[in-house]
Amino acid sequence: MWDLGITTLYYLDLSNNFLTNIEYFPPTNMTQLNFDSNLTHKVLDMRMNNFNGKISQKFVKSCNLTSLNLNGNRLEGPLPLSLVNCHHLEVLDVGNNQINDNFPNWLEILPELQVLILRSNRFWGPIGDNTTIVPFPRLRIIDLSHNEFTGVLPRIS
């Protein structure tokens, strides 16, 4: 289809379309998603389409994405643990999908994360307890509405 230059891709905005399949991006035989290049800002915006299936588990250790927006699709399954490889991630928006997972405490390892949108999915279980201190040091916006979280909210330090 397109020769996107996957190693030099800077910004991909496929938002607000009626796309239903990303058969060629990433290619089905691709073993990892690698957005490396010398550029400092990398944004992947695929919100408001009709994508379904699971989010790729293939984010490489040197992933330099700063923003990942998958809001408003029909994505399901758990959040990929390989997102911890995106050390520069500032915005993660997976709202309005069908993601089924417990609260992703492991995202606290992302030192730059400022916006976390998990709203309107199938997240479940406790976020923490009354002895847990919210560990996201730079988090400014968090939307957990319309899920199935239980228990008490963690303390904010």
Side-chain angles (χ1 to χ4, degrees), residues 4 110 124 154:
L4 287 175
L110 298 175
W124 51 270

Side-chain angles (χ1 to χ4, degrees), residues 29-46:
N29 63 348
M30 182 181 284
T31 58
Q32 56 191 1
L33 287 178
N34 186 342
F35 292 96
D36 287 349
S37 77
N38 341 9
L39 302 171
T40 56
H41 301 289
K42 293 173 191 61
V43 174
L44 183 57
D45 187 344
M46 299 171 74

Side-chain angles (χ1 to χ4, degrees), residues 71-152:
N71 193 308
N73 286 287
R74 293 184 300 147
L75 299 169
E76 57 191 34
L79 278 181
L81 288 171
S82 62
L83 278 172
V84 298
N85 294 326
C86 301
H87 298 287
H88 303 286
L89 197 63
E90 297 174 7
V91 176
L92 177 60
D93 185 347
V94 294
N96 300 296
N97 279 287
Q98 299 168 13
I99 297 170
N100 186 356
D101 203 352
N102 57 3
F103 184 77
N105 286 308
W106 47 267
L107 287 173
E108 70 184 335
I109 199 168
L110 298 175
E112 303 298 324
L113 191 63
Q114 296 177 40
V115 177
L116 178 60
I117 309 295
L118 304 178
R119 77 171 281 127
S120 297
N121 276 286
R122 295 179 181 155
F123 285 98
W124 51 270
I127 297 169
D129 58 37
N130 57 4
T131 62
T132 304
I133 297 174
V134 177
F136 298 92
R138 300 204 52 199
L139 199 62
R140 300 292 176 256
I141 298 171
I142 185 168
D143 187 346
L144 306 177
S145 62
H146 302 282
N147 281 290
E148 297 175 23
F149 291 119
T150 59
V152 298

